[in-house]
Amino acid sequence: MTDILEQLNKVRRGVMFVIEAPSGTGKTTIIKKLLAEDKNLKFSVSVTTRARREGEVDGVDYIYVTDEQYDKLLAEDAFYEAVDSLYGGRYGTLRSEVDSFLNVGQDVVFDMDWLGMEQMKKKAPNDVVSIYMLPPSIKELRRRLEGRHTDSIEKINKRMSVVLEKMAHWTEYDYVIVCLNPEQATETIRKIITAERLKRVRQTGLKAFTQSLIDEVKNGEHA
């Protein structure tokens, strides 16, 4: 019986899951947990024009390209979304990279802000599912940022100064959850992923499977 489900999963159309949240909510931790636990969930490797940093691997952390190569990809409409960073460098999500997963029934998760999400929804409205995570309180958000011990007070203050701007677009997302802790939020997102995978329009193998059931009945194979 499990073979039937595995076969249906292989011909299913994949989903693009965009997850966004204010810094400190726990987004990165949750995405890592989801990827580690679900072999059918992939992370898209973005293209960037910025220089490679020490320890980064081409094709793993980013796909590094020149400005000329980036311009060519942009002109060819090769990106699902493309943005210019405030800190220098340009970034883009390759259609070919994502489609290689979607076309074989694998899902892709994106850590992306609302600008990128809007671009993707325009180009692939039936494939994008967006999830926004809110902190339980602003006080708790700051506590989490301070608890990471990775940022200076100045950087934490800068992150806190853009919280309202970050949260301003929460109504544009399909799902909104409050992240009380990583375990609770991860479990909630797992349920969203499961529900989206089971939508009829994404289970492209159902038509043939249902026809096989009908044929069984007509041929009297149930007797």
Side-chain angles (χ1 to χ4, degrees):
M1 292 295 182
T2 56
D3 291 344
I4 296 171
L5 295 179
E6 288 177 3
Q7 183 58 36
L8 286 173
N9 282 334
K10 286 178 182 178
V11 294
R12 179 182 63 84
R13 174 71 177 172
V15 189
M16 300 155 76
F17 291 102
V18 178
I19 302 176
E20 172 64 331
S23 295
T25 304
K27 175 179 59 175
T28 301
T29 298
I30 290 164
I31 288 176
K32 285 181 178 178
K33 282 175 67 68
L34 291 167
L35 290 168
E37 296 166 0
D38 191 336
K39 65 179 182 180
N40 213 47
L41 196 61
K42 308 299 180 182
F43 191 80
S44 175
V45 180
S46 298
V47 165
T48 185
T49 61
R50 77 157 171 77
R52 191 188 317 179
R53 295 169 185 162
E54 186 177 352
E56 291 183 338
V57 179
D58 188 22
V60 176
D61 297 287
Y62 289 97
I63 298 169
Y64 300 92
V65 299
T66 63
D67 279 306
E68 291 76 16
Q69 290 171 320
Y70 188 95
D71 287 337
K72 185 174 184 293
L73 290 168
L74 203 59
E76 294 170 347
D77 194 26
F79 296 124
Y80 269 123
E81 59 87 34
V83 294
D84 293 346
S85 171
L86 294 173
Y87 307 101
R90 295 183 288 173
Y91 297 81
T93 300
L94 284 173
R95 288 176 181 260
S96 57
E97 168 82 7
V98 176
D99 288 346
S100 68
F101 295 125
L102 300 185
N103 292 335
V104 293
Q106 294 180 323
D107 307 308
V108 187
V109 63
F110 302 85
D111 177 352
M112 184 181 294
D113 66 15
W114 70 275
L115 284 170
M117 185 266 289
E118 278 197 340
Q119 290 182 51
M120 289 179 68
K121 279 203 165 184
K122 286 178 181 177
K123 293 185 177 181
N126 297 322
D127 289 331
V128 177
V129 173
S130 55
I131 303 167
Y132 197 90
M133 297 196 304
L134 292 168
S137 71
I138 300 304
K139 183 177 180 180
E140 172 63 14
L141 184 66
R142 185 177 186 96
R143 188 194 70 76
R144 291 178 186 179
L145 283 171
E146 292 174 347
R148 297 195 306 197
H149 303 296
T150 57
D151 296 332
S152 65
I153 293 299
E154 291 76 17
K155 194 166 185 178
I156 289 173
N157 288 337
K158 186 174 182 180
R159 290 186 186 278
M160 292 301 298
S161 70
V162 298
V163 167
L164 288 180
E165 180 184 340
K166 277 275 190 179
M167 294 195 302
H169 299 277
W170 70 272
T171 57
E172 297 163 34
Y173 287 74
D174 300 315
Y175 297 91
V176 179
I177 67 173
V178 176
C179 178
L180 302 178
N181 56 66
E183 292 73 24
Q184 163 263 337
T186 302
E187 181 57 29
T188 301
I189 294 176
R190 278 198 207 101
K191 292 176 181 177
I192 293 171
I193 290 173
T194 298
E196 289 294 335
R197 285 172 172 171
L198 291 173
K199 281 189 172 178
R200 175 181 52 78
V201 293
R202 294 203 174 95
Q203 296 194 74
T204 54
L206 278 181
K207 185 175 181 180
F209 175 68
T210 304
Q211 186 60 52
S212 72
L213 296 179
I214 293 170
D215 291 341
E216 277 190 60
V217 175
K218 289 182 176 179
N219 297 330
E221 295 177 23
H222 60 289

